[in-house]
Amino acid sequence: RFRRPSSAAEIVMRLFPAALAIVATLCAGCQADAKDPPLPSFGIDLSHPDNPYLVTPVEGHVALLDGRQVALPYGSSSGTWGQSGKGAGEDRGVPVGAQIVYYARYDDTFYRLDAAFPRALMDTLAYRAYPNNESDSSEQPLQPYIDVRQVPDYARQFNRSGMSYYPMRGLVFGFAPEGLVAVWVRYGAQQVQVGTFRAQPVEDDAR
């Protein structure tokens, strides 16, 4: 026997649970997207202990978590240890490594840095904000840092009447003698060290 066509009411009742599930999934996705902060923005600083230890990159880039590469700023290192005084450029992303060839005039040597930053650490540091000043828009005591993914409206809470908590603003390289390279993440006047790495001298036939 042929079954009678379902009535409009029966069709609606059959489709309702599936439609409800789809709507719930879409709403959950929208809520997740709303909580995701934008990619951090940062400049690249090239520093050294003192002017006699100036180095000049000849090629290189910073690698980002999403596979993109950010070119180094033009020019040599400057400033003091961990503070270049420049902070060139502005790129968005989570830095996870650096490949740099640089020339050190003080020992007339080319060095090659191939550094992989700890990814879990960088994913954490990229979404933190550190206090530089007391907040004029909140009476809450200053925290060591804020996870901006957990507190996405931190700027409205704490920075409304002036900057208190600074998000990631810079990736700082410090070039020391004998190929030692330190890396920090900068948050205004505060910096957190990512690690120290060793660049290797480049042989003449590999330059």
Side-chain angles (χ1 to χ4, degrees):
R1 296 180 179 178
F2 293 101
R3 189 175 183 276
R4 289 184 178 180
S6 300
S7 67
E10 290 177 336
I11 294 174
V12 170
M13 292 303 295
R14 290 177 182 175
L15 295 179
F16 182 74
L20 188 61
I22 293 172
V23 171
T25 301
L26 292 175
C27 289
C30 292
Q31 290 175 356
D33 292 342
K35 293 180 180 179
D36 289 341
L39 288 173
S41 176
F42 67 95
I44 298 175
D45 296 21
L46 308 177
S47 72
H48 52 223
D50 202 355
N51 287 339
Y53 298 105
L54 176 148
V55 304
T56 303
V58 295
E59 64 180 42
H61 64 267
V62 170
L64 302 181
L65 183 61
D66 60 11
R68 292 181 295 120
Q69 297 178 350
V70 175
L72 297 181
Y74 177 79
S76 302
S77 60
S78 60
T80 57
W81 187 240
Q83 302 285 340
S84 75
K86 292 181 179 179
E90 182 173 310
D91 296 280
R92 287 191 176 275
V94 177
V96 294
Q99 290 76 45
I100 304 172
V101 176
Y102 63 92
Y103 175 67
R105 187 178 299 276
Y106 56 82
D107 63 1
D108 190 27
T109 301
F110 284 88
Y111 289 91
R112 183 186 306 277
L113 174 69
D114 189 358
F117 308 151
R119 293 203 173 194
L121 175 63
M122 294 308 300
D123 185 59
T124 297
L125 294 180
Y127 293 101
R128 284 183 178 178
Y130 281 82
N132 284 220
N133 309 288
E134 293 288 340
S135 175
D136 292 330
S137 55
S138 174
E139 296 182 356
Q140 296 184 36
L142 290 180
Q143 302 298 314
Y145 61 84
I146 288 176
D147 184 334
V148 304
R149 287 179 288 200
Q150 299 296 321
V151 190
D153 64 339
Y154 79 95
R156 181 184 62 81
Q157 293 186 45
F158 301 101
N159 297 348
R160 191 169 61 252
S161 301
M163 288 295 293
S164 175
Y165 287 87
Y166 282 70
M168 177 180 176
R169 288 289 180 84
L171 186 69
V172 184
F173 291 86
F175 296 90
E178 300 181 354
L180 179 67
V181 181
V183 179
W184 299 266
V185 174
R186 177 169 54 81
Y187 308 83
Q190 288 216 49
Q191 295 186 176
V192 177
Q193 189 171 52
V194 173
T196 56
F197 307 89
R198 182 71 66 175
Q200 299 301 319
V202 178
E203 301 297 333
D204 289 342
D205 58 357
R207 297 183 185 178

